[in-house]
Amino acid sequence: MSHFIESLMYEVSNVFLLPVLFLILALFFYSIFQIGVFAIQVYVRRKNSALKSKGYVVFDYAMDENITNGDDLEVFAFSKLEATTIVTRVAPMLGLVATMIPMGPAFKALSNGNIQGVSDNLIVAFSAVIFSLLTASITFWITAVRKRWYAGEIREYMQRFDNEILK
């Protein structure tokens, strides 16, 4: 019975390899896309250094929606950071999965003396983890910078809002 369960788990885990590799590749391209979006955002923010201009996502939202609560702005800012934050956390997990799945066939090939099979599976394992870690690194960096930007925008908006109330 336990041999059946082990074989079933082995076969099922191998089914997940291709979808996980596809997801890693999709997330990698998403992170490359986010580099472009981020670069444009940096350019626009530098060009329009005054708040209430393009590039200042949270501040613009607050002004357009006439927000009076800093908590609402934080929720909005977190929602804008959500996708890159999720990619930052999920990519390394998928990389680990994509590293471990080919290890089974690699060890099986090793036990059969098939060095080519070991090599092929290790190439997949290491490539997947490299793509995953690069993806996570890119999105982590972008998310960290945006967090700082958005916190500054919230602070600036709330200071302006408080000053208007005191007048």
Side-chain angles (χ1 to χ4, degrees), residues 14 32 49 51 53 58 62 64 68 74 81 94-95 101 110 144 158:
N14 283 333
I32 299 301
S49 59
L51 289 174
S53 59
V58 176
D64 292 344
T68 59
E74 286 184 32
L81 296 168
L94 291 174
I101 292 173
L110 182 63
M158 293 311 295

Side-chain angles (χ1 to χ4, degrees), residues 8-30:
L8 179 66
M9 289 178 73
Y10 173 77
E11 294 301 326
V12 170
S13 69
N14 283 333
V15 169
F16 286 111
L17 182 59
L18 207 54
V20 168
L21 291 175
F22 176 74
L23 274 172
I24 289 170
L25 200 56
L27 293 178
F28 177 74
F29 287 126
Y30 173 79

